[in-house]
């Protein structure tokens, strides 16, 4: 597993994702210059201090717009609730509408 430097770099990017937008694990990895480490970004999000630490990890989704199963910060439905509270819209299949809500850094 990557060291805390990797995690901190991931958190720094995720802190930039504005309210009402989402980014993908792969997008964060590419922005870090680590395009093959999307899974490690996932490990970082799972280990993050969450909103208490200023890391809006709920804004990070899979490349197809699906949400993390069993979201680490309050259960499976919490990520969706947090995103909806920020105005993020979902498709009928339950995935985030990436065409409309994907962050363009």
């Amino acid at each position: 597993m990557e060291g805390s430097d990797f995690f901190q770099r991931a958190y720094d990017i995720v802190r930039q994702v504005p309210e009402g937008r989402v980014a993908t694990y792969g997008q964060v990895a590419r922005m870090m210059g680590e395009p093959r480490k999307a899974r490690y970004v996932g490990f970082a999000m799972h280990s993050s201090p969450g909103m208490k630490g200023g890391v809006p990890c709920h804004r990070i989704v899979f490349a197809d717009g699906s949400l993390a199963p069993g979201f680490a910060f309050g259960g499976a439905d919490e990520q969706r609730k947090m995103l909806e509270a920020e105005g993020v819209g979902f498709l009928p299949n339950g995935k985030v509408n990436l065409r409309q809500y994907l962050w363009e850094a």
Side-chain angles (χ1 to χ4, degrees), residues 58-75:
H58 65 284
R59 296 181 187 148
I60 309 305
V61 300
F62 289 102
D64 67 352
S66 59
L67 305 180
F71 184 68
F73 304 99

Side-chain angles (χ1 to χ4, degrees), residues 17-36:
V17 180
E19 184 174 323
R21 295 284 182 215
V22 298
T24 68
Y25 296 101
Q27 181 181 4
V28 172
R30 286 188 302 277
M31 291 177 72
M32 294 173 64
E34 304 275 5
R36 299 179 60 92

Side-chain angles (χ1 to χ4, degrees), residues 66-81:
S66 59
L67 305 180
F71 184 68
F73 304 99
D77 295 326
E78 193 61 25
Q79 184 178 17
R80 182 178 177 128
K81 288 177 188 174

